[in-house]
């Protein structure tokens, strides 16, 4: 039997995502009520600019006082889609204090301060759901938190930023340079006017912190994630990648150490074999590859951003939270029981693709090989081309600690026969 008294939802933010949340709640109100077991009512919408036209949102629901809205006491669920650290953090904790559960899409806040938000939710007996914070519409957080809760996850690797994947895909398929591909992404609305958060991998790093924390049941903060942007990737890098049967993606990689005693989280461009499922992810799509003991290899794929896809994830969480409230229960909270340390990037074992500009004369290859040997790095393949006294030398290594590889590169720079290091890129997904 359906409850007649509606569950009330407060919406913080009514931009691209918030307006879609409001539209879907209104358009599919009867379906949502049937799925939940009670009507759902949009009780208020907090915005910064009340004069802006917002189609489908009744004017009487608009307010600029977000604090008063979350303090009302009759709100069941607060949906936070304003982003940033403050005032989002204060509004979320205030919502918990006044008896509301929270659905958030705020990856930056969750990556920086997720532990305190979990603690506040638990203290007040409320839910904190955030499917929309990572990979847009792709169901990922809930499978990691619930479907794979009985398994041991060893690795999560994925493309979690649509803007950067669009840019790299255009560079790969059309031969465009970085600036040209970025201009196209901006024109199509994939890139912001200031694309720094995307192209310098701040966005992906926040998502990596969230994924690592859930996958490994340990606390991983944004500061724990190694971050390297993709602005230095060139057409020459793609040419080298193609010669190896690879392409280049900006990857978020979260791994459990082989001995199980630590974890790592990192985001950086990497060459990946064309045979790997992530290599075929095109345009602005996202995909995440999960490796677990019992389940084996799983891949989650779909649109990773945009108003409608993100709103879909938000509404999925709203339905789950409302069901919990009707059953007087809460969903999964923070799971950080392992308390594993997060290792530095220097301890990560990986491969490198290194392109060197060298003098075209006898003995150069021997000098370079000696430097690799002195740092304990084994060479997999070498390719050399020379003309008019200058040459290029491409070295692909076997797996070694990142610190050893970095030390190797620094030593190579000091050789008289090495004119410069043209490019350095990690190789993943073998």
């Amino acid at each position: 039997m359906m409850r007649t008294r509606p569950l009330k939802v407060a919406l913080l933010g009514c931009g691209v995502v918030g307006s879609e949340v409001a539209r879907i709640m209104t358009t599919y109100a009867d379906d949502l009520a049937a799925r939940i077991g009670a009507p759902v009512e949009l009780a208020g919408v907090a915005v910064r600019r009340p004069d802006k036209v917002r189609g489908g949102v009744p004017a009487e629901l608009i307010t600029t006082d977000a604090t008063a809205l979350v303090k009302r006491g009759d709100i069941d669920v607060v949906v936070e889609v304003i982003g940033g650290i403050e005032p989002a953090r204060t509004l979320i904790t205030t919502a918990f204090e006044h008896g509301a559960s929270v659905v958030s899409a705020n990856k930056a806040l969750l990556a920086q301060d997720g532990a305190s938000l979990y603690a506040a939710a638990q203290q007040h007996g409320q839910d904190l759901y955030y499917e929309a914070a990572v990979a847009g519409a792709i169901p990922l957080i809930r499978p990691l938190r619930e479907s794979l809760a009985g398994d041991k996850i060893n690795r999560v690797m994925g493309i979690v930023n649509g803007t950067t994947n669009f840019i790299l895909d255009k560079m790969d398929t059309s031969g465009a340079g970085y600036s040209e591909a970025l201009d196209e992404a901006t024109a199509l609305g994939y890139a912001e006017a200031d694309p720094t958060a995307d192209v310098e991998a701040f966005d992906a790093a926040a998502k990596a912190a969230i994924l690592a924390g859930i996958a490994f049941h340990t606390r991983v903060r944004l500061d724990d994630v190694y971050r390297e942007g993709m602005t230095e990737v060139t057409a020459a890098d793609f040419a080298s990648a193609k010669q190896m049967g690879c392409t280049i993606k900006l990857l978020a990689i979260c791994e459990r150490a082989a001995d199980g005693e630590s974890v790592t989280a990192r985001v950086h461009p990497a060459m990946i074999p064309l045979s790997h499922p992530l290599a075929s992810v095109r345009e602005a799509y996202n995909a995440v590859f999960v490796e677990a003991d019992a389940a084996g290899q799983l891949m989650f794929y779909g649109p990773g951003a945009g108003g409608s896809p993100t709103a879909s994830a938000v509404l999925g969480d709203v339905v789950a939270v409302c069901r919990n409230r009707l059953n007087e229960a809460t969903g999964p909270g923070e799971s950080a029981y392992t308390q594993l340390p997060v290792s530095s990037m220097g301890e990560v074992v990986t491969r490198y693709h290194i392109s060197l500009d060298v003098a075209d004369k006898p003995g150069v290859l021997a000098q370079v090989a000696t430097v690799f040997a002195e740092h304990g790095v084994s060479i997999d393949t070498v390719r050399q081309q020379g003309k008019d006294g200058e040459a290029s030398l491409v070295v692909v290594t076997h797996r070694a600690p990142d610190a050893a590889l970095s030390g190797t590169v620094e030593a190579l720079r000091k050789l008289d026969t090495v004119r410069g290091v043209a490019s350095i890129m990690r190789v993943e997904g073998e």
Side-chain angles (χ1 to χ4, degrees), residues 4-369:
T4 57
R5 182 170 65 82
L7 292 158
K8 295 187 177 183
V9 177
L11 181 59
L12 307 183
C14 198
V16 174
V17 176
S19 60
E20 275 297 291
V21 170
R23 183 190 67 80
I24 294 172
M25 284 188 64
T26 302
T27 304
Y28 299 103
D30 291 342
D31 288 331
L32 291 173
R35 294 165 192 171
I36 293 168
V40 180
E41 174 188 318
L42 187 59
V45 182
V47 299
R48 287 184 296 177
R49 297 186 294 275
D51 298 331
K52 182 179 177 181
V53 177
R54 295 175 173 85
V57 180
E60 63 269 18
L61 295 183
I62 300 293
T63 178
T64 58
D65 193 343
T67 301
L69 179 59
V70 300
K71 282 184 173 181
R72 274 179 36 173
D74 64 335
I75 300 297
D76 293 285
V77 184
V78 169
V79 174
E80 183 272 307
V81 288
I82 56 178
I85 306 303
E86 288 291 357
R89 174 167 45 200
T90 298
L91 290 170
I92 288 173
T93 55
T94 301
F96 290 145
E97 292 166 2
H98 287 79
S101 290
V102 172
V103 172
S104 176
N106 197 331
K107 53 189 168 288
L109 178 57
L110 288 159
Q112 178 173 307
D113 209 17
S116 67
L117 297 181
Y118 270 125
Q122 183 177 14
Q123 178 184 351
H124 297 285
Q126 304 300 330
D127 272 325
L128 173 62
Y129 276 56
Y130 47 90
E131 185 68 65
V134 180
I138 304 172
L140 180 60
I141 301 299
R142 195 171 291 117
L144 290 178
R145 287 213 294 181
E146 300 178 32
S147 303
L148 295 173
D151 208 340
K152 179 184 177 184
I153 297 174
N154 297 309
R155 196 176 202 223
V156 179
M157 179 171 75
I159 298 162
V160 295
N161 183 277
T163 300
T164 54
N165 199 58
F166 180 89
I167 293 170
L168 292 172
D169 183 50
K170 289 301 174 185
M171 292 176 70
D172 184 23
T173 57
S174 71
Y178 167 76
S179 297
E180 184 182 351
L182 173 59
D183 288 343
E184 184 175 354
T186 303
L188 292 172
Y190 292 128
E192 302 287 346
D194 179 1
T196 302
D198 294 324
V199 300
E200 294 295 350
F202 290 101
D203 174 87
K207 295 170 180 176
I210 294 169
L211 291 175
I214 298 171
F216 307 132
H217 304 278
T218 198
R219 286 179 180 169
V220 180
R221 301 182 72 249
L222 182 57
D223 292 345
D224 296 321
V225 181
Y226 172 84
R227 177 190 58 79
E228 183 182 319
M230 43 78 71
T231 57
E232 301 300 319
V233 177
T234 66
D237 292 325
F238 275 101
S240 293
K242 287 180 179 179
Q243 289 182 329
M244 290 179 57
C246 294
T247 188
I248 298 172
K249 299 292 186 181
L250 183 75
L251 298 177
I253 304 170
C254 311
E255 293 179 303
R256 188 189 300 269
D259 62 6
E261 297 301 315
S262 65
V263 299
T264 57
R266 51 195 166 102
V267 176
H268 53 73
M271 293 183 180
I272 186 168
L274 294 175
S275 58
H276 194 283
L278 291 176
S280 61
V281 179
R282 304 288 304 280
E283 299 284 330
Y285 278 77
N286 284 190
V288 177
F289 200 72
V290 178
E291 299 177 26
D293 271 3
Q297 297 179 335
L298 308 169
M299 190 164 113
F300 301 83
Y301 169 85
S308 294
T310 306
S312 171
V314 168
L315 265 299
D317 279 351
V318 169
V319 169
V321 170
C322 286
R323 287 171 174 168
N324 289 344
R325 290 183 80 83
L326 288 180
N327 293 323
E328 298 182 348
T330 55
E334 182 185 30
S335 177
Y337 71 92
T338 63
Q339 299 183 15
L340 295 172
V342 182
S343 298
S344 68
M345 185 63 193
E347 298 175 75
V348 171
V349 177
T350 187
R351 299 174 67 202
Y352 262 86
H353 175 282
I354 304 170
S355 180
L356 304 171
D357 295 327
V358 299
D360 187 15
K361 62 182 184 180
V364 173
L365 180 56
Q367 285 185 323
V368 169

